[in-house]
Amino acid sequence: MKKIYYHVFEIQNHSYLLGVTDKGLAFVGSWDQGIAELKQFYPEAILEDDFEHVIKYEKQLEEYLEGSREEFTFMLDTSGTTFQEAVWQELKRIPYGEVSNYTKIAKAINKPKAVRAVGTAIGKNPVLIVVPCHRVLTKTGDLGGYRGGIKMKRALLDLETKFCRQ
């Protein structure tokens, strides 16, 4: 059974719940959500509030949200289906300050007809921001969905546009 150490941090006027294991970051919660969101992703996990286990991950998230970090350097501890893992890997290839769309991602993983399934896999991404699902738009350029809500997605895209060093 997976043990997840978590803690809630206040960053940029929002609370973020981060969950980590001994192997790496396992969860980044949506704005101002509590432990229920973590439990939805990991219903069988043993959860322990532990600031010391989580603080090093919070530091990089805070730097990102302040505009001084574009990439994360810590290990992740996520697992999904083979398809989900392929989608999440492709999300990590979207550069800071840029966007992609569901259709492009489906093509990139050699599943061009799986556009809806790509959307579903993106919705199952347990590490918001770090695996940048906020960078995925619809084919027409609309924001589409986002676990953290459209307001959070827009704020993350605006942040990256503001601080993009291209």
Side-chain angles (χ1 to χ4, degrees), residues 143-158:
L143 290 179
Y146 190 64
R147 172 167 53 99
I150 296 303
K151 190 173 181 182
M152 181 180 178
K153 184 173 187 172
R154 170 53 53 208
L156 293 170
L157 291 170
D158 289 348

Side-chain angles (χ1 to χ4, degrees), residues 5 13 34 38 67 93 102 105 108 112 125 140 145:
Y5 305 98
N13 299 316
L38 174 62
R93 290 184 182 96
Y102 300 99
I105 291 169
N125 170 20
T140 61

Side-chain angles (χ1 to χ4, degrees), residues 8-119:
V8 177
F9 296 92
E10 292 292 324
I11 309 169
Q12 301 283 316
N13 299 316
H14 293 284
S15 62
Y16 294 87
L17 186 146
L18 302 181
V20 305
T21 68
D22 290 327
K23 295 179 183 177
L25 183 71
F27 184 79
V28 176
S30 304
W31 274 357
D32 307 319
Q33 298 298 306
I35 196 166
E37 188 181 29
L38 174 62
K39 287 179 179 180
Q40 287 176 347
F41 273 80
Y42 298 102
E44 304 296 321
I46 298 168
L47 304 177
E48 181 180 324
D49 189 348
D50 189 331
F51 175 85
E52 293 301 322
H53 267 91
V54 184
I55 187 61
K56 73 178 181 181
Y57 300 90
E58 183 275 342
K59 184 68 177 154
Q60 287 192 30
L61 179 64
E62 184 174 22
E63 291 168 352
Y64 167 85
L65 293 168
E66 291 172 345
S68 62
R69 174 176 292 278
E70 293 183 4
E71 295 180 23
F72 298 92
T73 59
F74 43 69
M75 298 295 297
L76 298 180
D77 183 12
T78 59
S79 60
T81 66
T82 303
F83 183 82
Q84 288 169 338
E85 293 283 344
V87 170
W88 300 342
Q89 286 302 315
E90 195 58 34
L91 294 177
K92 291 196 274 185
R93 290 184 182 96
I94 305 170
Y96 181 93
E98 295 184 24
V99 294
S100 187
N101 65 54
Y102 300 99
T103 303
K104 286 181 183 176
I105 291 169
K107 288 178 182 174
I109 63 168
N110 296 315
K111 302 283 185 189
K113 296 183 186 232
V115 176
R116 284 182 185 239
V118 164

